[in-house]
mmCIF file of all heavy atoms in Angstrom:
data_model
loop_
_atom_site.group_PDB
_atom_site.id
_atom_site.type_symbol
_atom_site.label_atom_id
_atom_site.label_comp_id
_atom_site.label_asym_id
_atom_site.label_seq_id
_atom_site.Cartn_x
_atom_site.Cartn_y
_atom_site.Cartn_z
ATOM 1 N N GLY A 23 28.124 28.853 1.027
ATOM 2 C CA GLY A 23 29.144 27.829 1.074
ATOM 3 C C GLY A 23 28.928 26.727 2.084
ATOM 4 O O GLY A 23 27.866 26.113 2.118
ATOM 5 N N ASP A 24 29.933 26.513 2.941
ATOM 6 C CA ASP A 24 29.876 25.405 3.906
ATOM 7 C C ASP A 24 28.715 25.557 4.895
ATOM 8 O O ASP A 24 28.185 24.556 5.359
ATOM 9 C CB ASP A 24 31.192 25.299 4.675
ATOM 10 C CG ASP A 24 32.300 24.689 3.840
ATOM 11 O OD1 ASP A 24 31.995 24.061 2.794
ATOM 12 O OD2 ASP A 24 33.468 24.846 4.224
ATOM 13 N N ARG A 25 28.341 26.760 5.209
ATOM 14 C CA ARG A 25 27.209 26.952 6.137
ATOM 15 C C ARG A 25 25.939 26.295 5.579
ATOM 16 O O ARG A 25 25.228 25.606 6.308
ATOM 17 C CB ARG A 25 26.997 28.447 6.366
ATOM 18 C CG ARG A 25 25.979 28.742 7.416
ATOM 19 C CD ARG A 25 26.012 30.228 7.759
ATOM 20 N NE ARG A 25 24.630 30.664 7.931
ATOM 21 C CZ ARG A 25 24.185 31.861 7.653
ATOM 22 N NH1 ARG A 25 24.987 32.776 7.201
ATOM 23 N NH2 ARG A 25 22.931 32.164 7.847
ATOM 24 N N PHE A 26 25.691 26.496 4.297
ATOM 25 C CA PHE A 26 24.530 25.860 3.657
ATOM 26 C C PHE A 26 24.749 24.351 3.535
ATOM 27 O O PHE A 26 23.889 23.574 3.934
ATOM 28 C CB PHE A 26 24.333 26.491 2.262
ATOM 29 C CG PHE A 26 23.328 25.779 1.404
ATOM 30 C CD1 PHE A 26 21.985 25.736 1.738
ATOM 31 C CD2 PHE A 26 23.719 25.139 0.226
ATOM 32 C CE1 PHE A 26 21.050 25.102 0.943
ATOM 33 C CE2 PHE A 26 22.799 24.502 -0.584
ATOM 34 C CZ PHE A 26 21.461 24.485 -0.224
ATOM 35 N N ARG A 27 25.905 23.935 3.025
ATOM 36 C CA ARG A 27 26.191 22.513 2.851
ATOM 37 C C ARG A 27 26.042 21.742 4.164
ATOM 38 O O ARG A 27 25.415 20.692 4.185
ATOM 39 C CB ARG A 27 27.617 22.308 2.308
ATOM 40 C CG ARG A 27 27.771 22.510 0.827
ATOM 41 C CD ARG A 27 29.097 21.986 0.335
ATOM 42 N NE ARG A 27 30.202 22.861 0.084
ATOM 43 C CZ ARG A 27 30.197 24.043 -0.521
ATOM 44 N NH1 ARG A 27 29.106 24.603 -0.893
ATOM 45 N NH2 ARG A 27 31.301 24.699 -0.743
ATOM 46 N N ASN A 28 26.631 22.273 5.220
ATOM 47 C CA ASN A 28 26.625 21.557 6.495
ATOM 48 C C ASN A 28 25.268 21.557 7.177
ATOM 49 O O ASN A 28 24.977 20.681 7.983
ATOM 50 C CB ASN A 28 27.693 22.136 7.431
ATOM 51 C CG ASN A 28 29.089 21.899 6.917
ATOM 52 O OD1 ASN A 28 29.363 20.928 6.211
ATOM 53 N ND2 ASN A 28 29.998 22.790 7.242
ATOM 54 N N ARG A 29 24.440 22.536 6.867
ATOM 55 C CA ARG A 29 23.102 22.585 7.462
ATOM 56 C C ARG A 29 22.146 21.604 6.794
ATOM 57 O O ARG A 29 21.286 21.017 7.450
ATOM 58 C CB ARG A 29 22.548 23.998 7.348
ATOM 59 C CG ARG A 29 21.155 24.138 7.916
ATOM 60 C CD ARG A 29 20.701 25.588 7.946
ATOM 61 N NE ARG A 29 19.319 25.640 8.295
ATOM 62 C CZ ARG A 29 18.337 25.997 7.474
ATOM 63 N NH1 ARG A 29 18.622 26.370 6.242
ATOM 64 N NH2 ARG A 29 17.088 26.011 7.862
ATOM 65 N N VAL A 30 22.319 21.405 5.494
ATOM 66 C CA VAL A 30 21.339 20.650 4.709
ATOM 67 C C VAL A 30 21.795 19.240 4.350
ATOM 68 O O VAL A 30 20.985 18.310 4.322
ATOM 69 C CB VAL A 30 20.970 21.432 3.424
ATOM 70 C CG1 VAL A 30 20.018 20.638 2.546
ATOM 71 C CG2 VAL A 30 20.371 22.787 3.793
ATOM 72 N N PHE A 31 23.073 19.044 4.068
ATOM 73 C CA PHE A 31 23.550 17.789 3.495
ATOM 74 C C PHE A 31 24.482 17.026 4.432
ATOM 75 O O PHE A 31 25.313 17.635 5.101
ATOM 76 C CB PHE A 31 24.261 18.068 2.158
ATOM 77 C CG PHE A 31 23.390 18.777 1.173
ATOM 78 C CD1 PHE A 31 23.514 20.142 0.970
ATOM 79 C CD2 PHE A 31 22.418 18.080 0.457
ATOM 80 C CE1 PHE A 31 22.693 20.799 0.072
ATOM 81 C CE2 PHE A 31 21.601 18.737 -0.444
ATOM 82 C CZ PHE A 31 21.722 20.104 -0.639
ATOM 83 N N THR A 32 24.353 15.713 4.426
ATOM 84 C CA THR A 32 25.244 14.874 5.224
ATOM 85 C C THR A 32 26.632 14.873 4.602
ATOM 86 O O THR A 32 26.812 15.281 3.443
ATOM 87 C CB THR A 32 24.720 13.425 5.292
ATOM 88 O OG1 THR A 32 24.784 12.861 3.969
ATOM 89 C CG2 THR A 32 23.303 13.358 5.856
ATOM 90 N N GLU A 33 27.603 14.388 5.358
ATOM 91 C CA GLU A 33 28.979 14.298 4.835
ATOM 92 C C GLU A 33 29.033 13.423 3.591
ATOM 93 O O GLU A 33 29.742 13.742 2.630
ATOM 94 C CB GLU A 33 29.914 13.762 5.909
ATOM 95 C CG GLU A 33 30.181 14.745 7.017
ATOM 96 C CD GLU A 33 31.118 14.187 8.077
ATOM 97 O OE1 GLU A 33 31.878 13.247 7.779
ATOM 98 O OE2 GLU A 33 31.099 14.727 9.202
ATOM 99 N N THR A 34 28.289 12.321 3.591
ATOM 100 C CA THR A 34 28.262 11.425 2.432
ATOM 101 C C THR A 34 27.709 12.141 1.203
ATOM 102 O O THR A 34 28.249 12.034 0.108
ATOM 103 C CB THR A 34 27.413 10.163 2.741
ATOM 104 O OG1 THR A 34 27.991 9.505 3.873
ATOM 105 C CG2 THR A 34 27.348 9.222 1.562
ATOM 106 N N GLU A 35 26.616 12.889 1.386
ATOM 107 C CA GLU A 35 26.048 13.646 0.259
ATOM 108 C C GLU A 35 27.035 14.698 -0.240
ATOM 109 O O GLU A 35 27.168 14.888 -1.462
ATOM 110 C CB GLU A 35 24.739 14.318 0.699
ATOM 111 C CG GLU A 35 23.611 13.337 0.936
ATOM 112 C CD GLU A 35 22.384 13.993 1.523
ATOM 113 O OE1 GLU A 35 22.511 14.755 2.506
ATOM 114 O OE2 GLU A 35 21.293 13.744 0.985
ATOM 115 N N GLN A 36 27.721 15.343 0.660
ATOM 116 C CA GLN A 36 28.689 16.374 0.265
ATOM 117 C C GLN A 36 29.847 15.757 -0.504
ATOM 118 O O GLN A 36 30.264 16.297 -1.537
ATOM 119 C CB GLN A 36 29.206 17.119 1.493
ATOM 120 C CG GLN A 36 28.159 18.011 2.128
ATOM 121 C CD GLN A 36 28.681 18.743 3.335
ATOM 122 O OE1 GLN A 36 29.784 19.296 3.299
ATOM 123 N NE2 GLN A 36 27.916 18.758 4.422
ATOM 124 N N ARG A 37 30.370 14.627 -0.032
ATOM 125 C CA ARG A 37 31.477 13.976 -0.747
ATOM 126 C C ARG A 37 31.074 13.610 -2.169
ATOM 127 O O ARG A 37 31.820 13.838 -3.116
ATOM 128 C CB ARG A 37 31.934 12.711 0.011
ATOM 129 C CG ARG A 37 32.897 12.995 1.146
ATOM 130 C CD ARG A 37 33.566 11.724 1.655
ATOM 131 N NE ARG A 37 32.631 10.679 2.019
ATOM 132 C CZ ARG A 37 32.076 10.544 3.215
ATOM 133 N NH1 ARG A 37 32.351 11.381 4.172
ATOM 134 N NH2 ARG A 37 31.233 9.557 3.457
ATOM 135 N N ARG A 38 29.884 13.055 -2.322
ATOM 136 C CA ARG A 38 29.422 12.668 -3.650
ATOM 137 C C ARG A 38 29.264 13.909 -4.549
ATOM 138 O O ARG A 38 29.715 13.899 -5.699
ATOM 139 C CB ARG A 38 28.103 11.903 -3.588
ATOM 140 C CG ARG A 38 27.604 11.526 -4.979
ATOM 141 C CD ARG A 38 26.589 10.435 -4.939
ATOM 142 N NE ARG A 38 26.154 10.039 -6.262
ATOM 143 C CZ ARG A 38 26.725 9.107 -6.977
ATOM 144 N NH1 ARG A 38 27.756 8.446 -6.522
ATOM 145 N NH2 ARG A 38 26.271 8.782 -8.176
ATOM 146 N N ALA A 39 28.651 14.927 -4.039
ATOM 147 C CA ALA A 39 28.425 16.141 -4.846
ATOM 148 C C ALA A 39 29.733 16.789 -5.276
ATOM 149 O O ALA A 39 29.871 17.210 -6.423
ATOM 150 C CB ALA A 39 27.560 17.131 -4.072
ATOM 151 N N GLU A 40 30.664 16.858 -4.366
ATOM 152 C CA GLU A 40 31.932 17.546 -4.664
ATOM 153 C C GLU A 40 32.792 16.775 -5.653
ATOM 154 O O GLU A 40 33.692 17.360 -6.257
ATOM 155 C CB GLU A 40 32.692 17.832 -3.372
ATOM 156 C CG GLU A 40 31.965 18.763 -2.404
ATOM 157 C CD GLU A 40 31.679 20.158 -2.968
ATOM 158 O OE1 GLU A 40 32.488 20.655 -3.772
ATOM 159 O OE2 GLU A 40 30.638 20.735 -2.602
ATOM 160 N N ARG A 41 32.526 15.485 -5.842
ATOM 161 C CA ARG A 41 33.270 14.684 -6.842
ATOM 162 C C ARG A 41 32.681 14.812 -8.240
ATOM 163 O O ARG A 41 33.287 14.373 -9.212
ATOM 164 C CB ARG A 41 33.222 13.199 -6.458
ATOM 165 C CG ARG A 41 34.084 12.815 -5.296
ATOM 166 C CD ARG A 41 34.216 11.291 -5.180
ATOM 167 N NE ARG A 41 33.021 10.543 -5.463
ATOM 168 C CZ ARG A 41 32.275 9.902 -4.546
ATOM 169 N NH1 ARG A 41 32.621 9.913 -3.279
ATOM 170 N NH2 ARG A 41 31.209 9.220 -4.901
ATOM 171 N N ARG A 42 31.473 15.359 -8.350
ATOM 172 C CA ARG A 42 30.778 15.391 -9.630
ATOM 173 C C ARG A 42 31.163 16.619 -10.446
ATOM 174 O O ARG A 42 31.526 17.662 -9.909
ATOM 175 C CB ARG A 42 29.255 15.409 -9.391
ATOM 176 C CG ARG A 42 28.711 14.249 -8.578
ATOM 177 C CD ARG A 42 28.973 12.889 -9.211
ATOM 178 N NE ARG A 42 28.364 12.771 -10.493
ATOM 179 C CZ ARG A 42 27.292 12.048 -10.755
ATOM 180 N NH1 ARG A 42 26.726 11.337 -9.818
ATOM 181 N NH2 ARG A 42 26.800 12.001 -11.962
ATOM 182 N N ALA A 43 31.030 16.494 -11.772
ATOM 183 C CA ALA A 43 31.296 17.614 -12.661
ATOM 184 C C ALA A 43 30.259 18.724 -12.424
ATOM 185 O O ALA A 43 30.589 19.916 -12.450
ATOM 186 C CB ALA A 43 31.270 17.168 -14.115
ATOM 187 N N ASP A 44 28.997 18.329 -12.199
ATOM 188 C CA ASP A 44 27.913 19.286 -11.965
ATOM 189 C C ASP A 44 27.584 19.293 -10.466
ATOM 190 O O ASP A 44 26.618 18.704 -10.032
ATOM 191 C CB ASP A 44 26.687 18.915 -12.794
ATOM 192 C CG ASP A 44 25.564 19.920 -12.673
ATOM 193 O OD1 ASP A 44 25.766 21.002 -12.069
ATOM 194 O OD2 ASP A 44 24.458 19.617 -13.154
ATOM 195 N N VAL A 45 28.419 19.990 -9.711
ATOM 196 C CA VAL A 45 28.264 20.039 -8.256
ATOM 197 C C VAL A 45 26.892 20.590 -7.882
ATOM 198 O O VAL A 45 26.157 19.980 -7.095
ATOM 199 C CB VAL A 45 29.398 20.870 -7.609
ATOM 200 C CG1 VAL A 45 29.144 21.091 -6.134
ATOM 201 C CG2 VAL A 45 30.736 20.191 -7.837
ATOM 202 N N ALA A 46 26.517 21.724 -8.437
ATOM 203 C CA ALA A 46 25.245 22.353 -8.082
ATOM 204 C C ALA A 46 24.063 21.464 -8.480
ATOM 205 O O ALA A 46 23.080 21.372 -7.731
ATOM 206 C CB ALA A 46 25.126 23.721 -8.741
#
Side-chain angles (χ1 to χ4, degrees):
D24 285 343
R25 187 170 140 211
F26 171 65
R27 279 193 260 317
N28 294 332
R29 179 173 171 249
V30 176
F31 303 100
T32 66
E33 288 180 22
T34 301
E35 290 173 312
Q36 290 180 46
R37 277 193 307 272
R38 179 162 182 89
E40 297 299 327
R41 287 193 321 252
R42 303 299 300 253
D44 184 9
V45 172

